[in-house]
Amino acid sequence: MKLTPKINLDNLLEGCKAGDRKAQELLYKQTAPKMMVVCMRYARDRMEAEDVLQLGYIKVFGKISEFRGVGSLEGWIRRIMVNTAIESYRRNLRMMNIVPITENEEQIAADFDFSRMGMQVLLKLIQGLSDGTRVVFNMYVMEGFSHQEIADSLGISAGASKSQLSRARAILKQEIIKMEGIDYATYTG
Amino acid sequence: MQHIQDKEFDQRLRDQFENEEIQLSANSWSDLERVLHPQSKRRTSYRSRWLAAASVLLLSSLGVYLSSHTGDRVMSKERLALNNPVREEQTSVLEHNEQLNAEGIKENIPNKPADRNVNSVKAVAVLKADSEKNNIEPELQAVSLTPEKDEIILSSLQPSSEIARHVDNQALYKPEKLAVLQVRNEVISDTDNEIEDTQQQRGIRNVGDLVNYVVDKVDKRAEKILKFKTDDDNSSLIAINIGMLKFNQKKQK
């Protein structure tokens, strides 16, 4: 049950630009739960995700006067969160463990119902990927970056980005197939 | 069986995260707010800390004050008797002598002070009264009250009495009075020094001493945040200085 009433974000924008603390709090409570999902996809665990979220909102409130109203405010905040997560990854500079992909990867049936798994289960599977693979997967699949953009952003080659994406898909499919006969309601990862 | 293609797989995954939310911890916003507005938060926290510290000090000092003036009074008398039986004996002897002195003075009032013993008794009474105020050594009183040792007092008063005789030969009792005053002044100044010395030497005997010691180490101001009077085994609060709130028993007197 969501207790926070839905408020038009544009109404909060002016208050946030003026540094009004109440407006900042309302904007945070309105948008942060969605942004937490983004951060959780990029992070290994909840603690890391919360750090990224806090860093992201510090940037949001610091730069909100630069928001010109092109596109939605939520989309702008989301881009800041993704950039913060990528920066966090680059700062930690985790090693991209490129492992050769097995060609005989298993396939998921076309009629497989993803909704049976739920977001939390998928989130666990994504967090289980290695750091480099997870970042590439998120940037390509979830955010829609091209391989060249990913390569430029992470300082790797486009080919390395492609192979990381293939690896991510293969691992996720494998895990989903394993779980096909499992009661997902009781799955905790 | 038809298999899912990569693009479709990606799309289905994306759909699973569409419009999803994860509830945040209760203090999530307050943590961020502390980072966003550090100065105002810090100011309020300092203020609240000072208030808390001041209230704790006030409460503890009030507790010490109340305990030292109620239940501990009986205990301290017993403790005094146990710790210092000699002083107890001296006190009782002095009380007895005081009664004797008072009787002696009463008996001699109609006859006027003609004899030296009476004079010495009066001088001793004055000395004794002063000594009680200033905690003079009881040995002096004990010696002066014995008739055989009156000579000691007179010999100690001799230089003063000679000077006084030059000033006024008619006044019979003036030399003794002058001598007594002189002795009293010396004794007062010596006693003040002794009190300071004994306070340093006797160490920490009760809560008041402990608080005074800690406050002296921490608070370098002339008027300390708290000061306890610890003359006897009981301790009582005599001065507070917490910014706006100041209280000093000594000054009031």
Side-chain angles (χ1 to χ4, degrees):
Chain A
M1 192 173 70
K2 289 160 192 168
L3 296 173
T4 316
K6 293 287 175 191
I7 301 162
N8 188 355
L9 295 183
D10 293 333
N11 295 341
L12 299 173
L13 184 62
E14 290 309 311
C16 290
K17 281 183 177 177
D20 177 43
R21 208 177 290 188
K22 194 70 195 167
Q24 287 178 340
E25 185 180 355
L26 285 170
L27 180 67
Y28 178 82
K29 287 186 173 169
Q30 190 81 31
T31 56
K34 278 185 182 174
M35 299 307 142
M36 187 62 177
V37 176
V38 176
C39 296
M40 285 285 273
R41 278 196 283 104
Y42 279 87
R44 271 182 289 194
D45 50 40
R46 189 180 174 100
M47 198 183 287
E48 193 180 324
E50 282 175 347
D51 287 347
V52 172
L53 186 82
Q54 194 180 66
L55 278 172
Y57 271 98
I58 290 166
K59 284 183 192 171
V60 165
F61 292 122
K63 292 181 176 179
I64 201 157
S65 56
E66 295 172 17
F67 178 66
R68 300 290 170 215
V70 182
S72 70
L73 180 59
E74 192 178 311
W76 181 76
I77 295 171
R78 185 191 170 94
R79 278 198 297 280
I80 288 179
M81 290 299 150
V82 169
N83 287 337
T84 309
I86 294 167
E87 277 170 27
S88 173
Y89 167 76
R90 276 204 306 246
R91 198 169 41 248
N92 295 333
L93 209 66
R94 293 161 192 152
M95 292 300 291
M96 302 272 272
N97 47 345
I98 300 165
V99 181
I101 305 155
T102 49
E103 292 299 324
N104 55 342
E105 61 185 73
E106 294 175 81
Q107 295 296 319
I108 297 170
D111 59 346
F112 180 77
D113 185 10
F114 276 79
S115 62
R116 278 175 59 205
M117 297 175 70
M119 188 265 290
Q120 290 290 350
V121 175
L122 282 173
L123 206 53
K124 283 276 178 194
L125 295 180
I126 292 168
Q127 285 182 336
L129 297 171
S130 65
D131 295 331
T133 311
R134 188 172 61 248
V135 171
V136 171
F137 169 80
N138 274 309
M139 289 178 79
Y140 187 91
V141 175
M142 299 295 180
E143 266 64 67
F145 285 98
S146 69
H147 283 299
Q148 192 55 52
E149 284 172 322
I150 294 168
D152 293 342
S153 179
L154 300 181
I156 56 170
S157 68
S161 174
K162 282 178 188 173
S163 63
Q164 288 295 323
L165 178 65
S166 297
R167 178 167 175 74
R169 281 194 189 121
I171 292 168
L172 289 174
K173 283 176 185 175
Q174 228 169 2
E175 292 297 318
I176 289 166
I177 287 164
K178 274 187 202 170
M179 293 165 68
E180 266 189 301
I182 299 173
D183 179 8
Y184 295 110
T186 57
Y187 177 78
T188 54
Chain B
M1 190 169 74
Q2 198 178 356
H3 296 299
I4 194 166
Q5 297 302 306
D6 284 349
K7 280 197 173 179
E8 197 182 344
F9 176 75
D10 293 352
Q11 185 57 50
R12 289 200 190 179
L13 281 177
R14 265 196 301 272
D15 292 345
Q16 290 303 304
F17 289 96
E18 195 69 30
N19 293 321
E20 284 290 343
E21 293 186 354
I22 294 175
Q23 288 308 308
L24 302 166
S25 55
N27 56 349
S28 170
W29 166 248
S30 58
D31 289 346
L32 178 65
E33 194 184 25
R34 210 172 296 130
V35 180
L36 288 171
H37 308 280
Q39 280 189 334
S40 56
K41 276 278 170 187
R42 200 175 298 157
R43 206 178 298 143
T44 49
S45 65
Y46 279 143
R47 199 180 301 147
S48 58
R49 277 181 207 168
W50 270 109
L51 278 172
S55 54
V56 165
L57 272 172
L58 270 174
L59 284 172
S60 59
S61 55
L62 190 68
V64 169
Y65 178 81
L66 286 174
S67 65
S68 63
H69 281 75
T70 52
D72 288 355
R73 198 171 288 169
V74 179
M75 286 291 291
S76 65
K77 276 190 174 179
E78 288 171 7
R79 211 183 308 144
L80 264 175
L82 284 169
N83 290 345
N84 202 353
V86 177
R87 192 188 287 176
E88 186 86 345
E89 275 178 32
Q90 285 173 350
T91 315
S92 61
V93 166
L94 287 172
E95 279 171 2
H96 178 66
N97 286 337
E98 197 174 6
Q99 282 179 345
L100 288 173
N101 290 342
E103 285 166 17
I105 292 164
K106 269 185 193 172
E107 283 169 14
N108 287 305
I109 285 168
N111 304 328
K112 285 281 176 184
D115 97 53
R116 216 177 60 182
N117 283 340
V118 176
N119 293 341
S120 69
V121 167
K122 274 192 171 179
V124 165
V126 173
L127 264 174
K128 185 171 174 292
D130 290 335
S131 67
E132 277 175 358
K133 281 183 186 170
N134 300 304
N135 294 329
I136 303 170
E137 291 299 316
E139 284 79 5
L140 175 61
Q141 296 165 9
V143 167
S144 63
L145 286 167
T146 50
E148 303 86 75
K149 294 187 179 175
D150 271 354
E151 292 303 318
I152 298 168
I153 293 173
L154 290 171
S155 62
S156 67
L157 301 178
Q158 199 59 35
S160 308
S161 57
E162 279 180 9
I163 295 162
R165 236 176 259 136
H166 284 293
V167 176
D168 188 5
N169 287 325
Q170 301 300 316
L172 284 170
Y173 306 108
K174 208 158 185 178
E176 282 83 356
K177 281 181 184 172
L178 278 170
V180 166
L181 286 170
Q182 209 170 25
V183 169
R184 188 171 61 177
N185 287 338
E186 284 171 12
V187 167
I188 287 167
S189 61
D190 288 347
T191 315
D192 284 344
N193 293 334
E194 276 173 21
I195 288 167
E196 284 177 12
D197 290 344
T198 49
Q199 274 179 347
Q200 287 175 351
Q201 285 167 5
R202 70 187 174 196
I204 296 168
R205 299 184 311 167
N206 50 32
V207 181
D209 279 327
L210 180 66
V211 173
N212 281 346
Y213 178 77
V214 173
V215 168
D216 277 343
K217 291 284 173 196
V218 175
D219 192 354
K220 300 295 180 193
R221 294 177 298 176
E223 292 179 341
K224 308 290 182 193
I225 192 163
L226 278 177
K227 189 161 187 177
F228 281 85
K229 185 186 174 189
T230 57
D231 290 346
D232 48 14
D233 276 359
N234 288 330
S235 49
S236 54
L237 185 66
I238 55 166
I240 297 175
N241 177 17
I242 309 170
M244 299 283 286
L245 178 63
K246 283 187 181 178
F247 163 73
N248 194 331
Q249 209 174 55
K250 277 186 178 175
K251 279 185 181 176
Q252 282 179 354
K253 280 178 185 178

